[in-house]
Structure formats: C-alpha cells, structure tokens
Amino acid sequence: MEKNEILNSHWAVRRNAAGNPNTPVDTLVELSKDSHCDVRRSAAGNPNTPGYTPSDEEFIITETY
C-alpha cells in the first residue's frame, strides 16, 4: 500500500501498518500522530519509528487524580 492509502484506511489497517517493521519511516512518523490510540501505540512499539526506546520497566502511577 502507498502512504496515502495507509493514512486514509480503517484504524485497524493503520494499526497493523504502524507495527510492521517494513513500513517506511515517513509513514511511521505520520502514524505516530494518528487520532486512534491503538495506532499510536503500535507506532511507538515499532523499532523503526524515530525516537523508539525499548523499555522493560513497569508503568507505575505515582499520583492520585
């Protein structure tokens, strides 16, 4: 699929593209700004996304809201 086809697809298609290691970096950058949280999460977990930092740490909430 071309970049514009991916960006204009259903969120599940965008999520899968965001997690795919063969997705071009410029497309990953756009997917990392997607309106759907699952798409952004997949892009954040893709090691080819600029700024990717692997983490084995637990997510701990330290403040009460």
Side-chain angles (χ1 to χ4, degrees), residues 42-63:
S42 287
N46 189 324
N48 295 326
T49 300
Y52 169 80
T53 305
S55 176
D56 291 333
E57 296 177 20
E58 292 182 34
F59 181 74
I60 300 171
I61 298 173
T62 58
E63 295 184 31

Side-chain angles (χ1 to χ4, degrees), residues 28-44:
L28 289 172
V29 169
E30 293 300 316
L31 291 170
S32 71
K33 300 182 251 180
D34 197 90
S35 62
H36 200 283
C37 64
D38 288 342
V39 177
R40 295 191 308 270
R41 184 179 298 121
S42 287

Side-chain angles (χ1 to χ4, degrees), residues 1-42:
M1 290 182 92
E2 296 294 321
K3 179 180 176 179
N4 286 334
E5 286 179 292
I6 294 169
L7 297 177
N8 293 314
S9 295
H10 187 270
W11 71 267
V13 173
R14 298 192 314 270
R15 179 196 59 207
N16 291 339
N20 186 329
N22 296 318
T23 299
V25 171
D26 63 324
T27 304
L28 289 172
V29 169
E30 293 300 316
L31 291 170
S32 71
K33 300 182 251 180
D34 197 90
S35 62
H36 200 283
C37 64
D38 288 342
V39 177
R40 295 191 308 270
R41 184 179 298 121
S42 287

